[in-house]
Amino acid sequence: MSMMIGLNQPIVVMEPVLAHDLHDQPGFIYQVKWDGVRILCHLEKSRVRLWNKRLNERTLQYPELQQAVHCLKAQNAIVDGEVVVLKNGKPSFPAVMSRDNSRTAASVNRLSKNLVVDYMIFDLLYLNDRPLTDYPLLERKQMLGGIFHPQGGIHLIEDFQQGASLYTAVKEQEMEGIVAKLGSSPYVAGKHHKSWFKYKNRRQATAVVGALLMEGKRVKSLLLGLYQEDRLVYIGRASTGLNEGQKLSLFRELSAIKSDNSPFAEQINSPNLVYLRPVLTVLVEFAEWSEDLRLRSPVILGFSDQAARECSLFAEQPQ
């Protein structure tokens, strides 16, 4: 049965289901998973409207995507894709979230000068007054290829036939992961399907230790941050990874690096905190960024010799 779909209303997106046992399967295609903001682009004549997966309009936030009227040769269409900000050729989720969180035309104009977005299109849901959600994925993609004309920062995502080798390449590039999609699948809202799967790569960042959460004389967890210009932005706490010897070493160093004031730009309210001067850095592995820019499932891999001021929110991958 067709999904109710129209040009002037948001659509619940089809989401890949997290999986772990990756092996190439017949009938599937494989794509790079771009670390950005999911955006549906609604084109009607010369007008473009944008919606995110939470059904909120995002037309103001991404004026660059107005060029979609020149890329999609159709009277009307709805395409699905990911908006990204590329830093050194790789997506930076914190950077694109800065764009997504902008609420005024002035802030969008200011940020767009340094945080330019690209739009990675991977599906076509509606074309010339006809819903396509019941069509097989490969048919939808064939129609998408027929109407798409590259321009600027709008791209079609490439398909691959070997998922295992693509995942290896993605891991080597320290990118987010890959998606496996059944070529015969219709477009189904949400995750109630067995057609799209995501395989995620744990990533690494070098972060600044801004405070310690203590339990008596024992270090319980590290509060971490990354710099955004002159502001140390709090990105979460990590309590696993350091062995007891490393925690004891931290405790012994407290008198030399502790501070009366928090180095973080925002107020962190928690009992038993000891603030530090922002001089200590650690290498941390994590699953992904949350939408409020916190590290999910962080694990401390060890101390780092990278300078604290080099730990940037918009270039979080270690060099």
Side-chain angles (χ1 to χ4, degrees):
M1 187 173 182
S2 295
M3 183 191 307
M4 294 300 293
I5 183 171
L7 285 168
N8 296 313
Q9 63 189 46
I11 300 166
V12 177
V13 302
M14 183 171 182
E15 298 189 59
V17 178
L18 183 63
H20 302 285
D21 184 20
L22 174 61
H23 55 276
D24 294 344
Q25 304 176 69
F28 276 79
I29 60 172
Y30 301 89
Q31 300 168 338
V32 171
K33 190 177 189 307
W34 294 91
D35 197 6
V37 175
R38 187 79 172 271
I39 291 290
L40 292 177
C41 175
H42 295 224
L43 167 69
E44 185 173 14
K45 296 179 181 178
S46 60
R47 183 187 185 197
V48 168
R49 296 184 71 184
L50 308 172
W51 304 87
N52 68 13
K53 70 177 183 179
R54 296 181 180 272
L55 309 184
N56 297 316
E57 187 164 3
R58 284 294 184 264
T59 306
L60 168 70
Q61 282 76 7
Y62 306 111
E64 299 98 321
L65 270 59
Q66 292 298 319
Q67 66 181 308
V69 299
H70 306 296
C71 296
L72 301 169
K73 302 302 181 182
Q75 179 181 348
N76 51 59
I78 300 175
V79 296
D80 191 357
E82 200 88 4
V83 170
V84 299
V85 172
L86 299 176
K87 294 287 183 179
N88 300 319
K90 294 186 288 188
S92 169
F93 188 71
V96 76
M97 286 306 298
S98 290
R99 288 291 305 269
D100 198 70
N101 290 331
S102 299
R103 294 294 179 264
T104 67
S107 63
V108 169
N109 182 61
R110 175 177 56 82
L111 287 171
S112 64
K113 294 176 181 177
N114 294 317
L115 302 178
V116 178
V117 301
D118 286 70
Y119 188 40
M120 308 299 188
I121 298 174
F122 51 73
D123 215 330
L124 176 65
L125 312 186
Y126 192 90
L127 178 62
N128 295 334
D129 299 320
R130 181 175 46 158
L132 304 178
T133 50
D134 282 347
Y135 283 62
L137 171 63
L138 292 182
E139 286 190 34
R140 300 196 307 269
K141 288 185 63 64
Q142 184 176 19
M143 287 186 275
L144 176 59
I147 67 168
F148 180 77
H149 298 266
Q151 180 168 324
I154 299 182
H155 319 270
L156 284 186
I157 284 183
E158 185 176 0
D159 297 336
F160 297 86
Q161 300 304 313
Q162 285 78 40
S165 58
L166 177 62
Y167 185 69
T168 297
V170 163
K171 285 185 67 175
E172 290 174 351
Q173 292 296 315
E174 297 179 326
M175 295 177 67
E176 186 186 14
I178 70 169
V179 179
K181 297 179 179 179
L182 183 63
S184 61
S185 61
Y187 193 94
V188 180
K191 298 182 180 181
H192 299 291
H193 59 79
K194 295 183 178 180
S195 301
W196 290 14
F197 300 95
K198 60 184 177 182
Y199 300 88
K200 306 198 75 172
N201 172 39
R202 287 185 64 84
R203 290 169 288 171
Q204 296 181 1
T206 305
V208 181
V209 184
L212 302 177
L213 179 62
M214 304 297 296
E215 193 173 68
K217 294 184 177 182
R218 181 176 175 273
V219 176
K220 186 175 181 181
S221 60
L222 281 59
L223 277 67
L224 306 175
L226 289 171
Y227 276 101
Q228 180 180 359
E229 297 178 344
D230 293 329
R231 302 168 63 250
L232 186 63
V233 177
Y234 175 67
I235 60 170
R237 64 178 63 177
S239 57
T240 58
L242 292 183
N243 59 39
E244 290 304 315
Q246 290 170 315
K247 291 179 179 180
L248 181 60
S249 176
L250 261 180
F251 178 74
R252 289 171 175 167
E253 293 292 325
L254 272 184
S255 60
I257 59 176
K258 69 179 180 179
S259 171
D260 293 331
N261 302 309
S262 171
F264 297 111
E266 63 184 281
Q267 184 68 34
I268 309 296
N269 296 315
S270 181
N272 304 317
L273 279 185
V274 176
Y275 297 125
L276 305 180
R277 291 187 292 110
V279 294
L280 183 66
T281 62
V282 290
L283 182 63
V284 57
E285 182 183 78
F286 63 102
E288 62 183 350
W289 288 99
S290 69
E291 290 193 359
D292 58 352
L293 296 183
R294 300 289 190 262
L295 302 182
R296 286 190 173 141
S297 305
V299 175
I300 301 295
L301 299 181
F303 297 109
S304 170
D305 58 4
Q306 184 169 334
R309 298 295 293 192
E310 295 177 358
C311 299
S312 169
L313 185 64
F314 292 160
E316 76 277 4
Q317 300 298 340
Q319 302 299 314

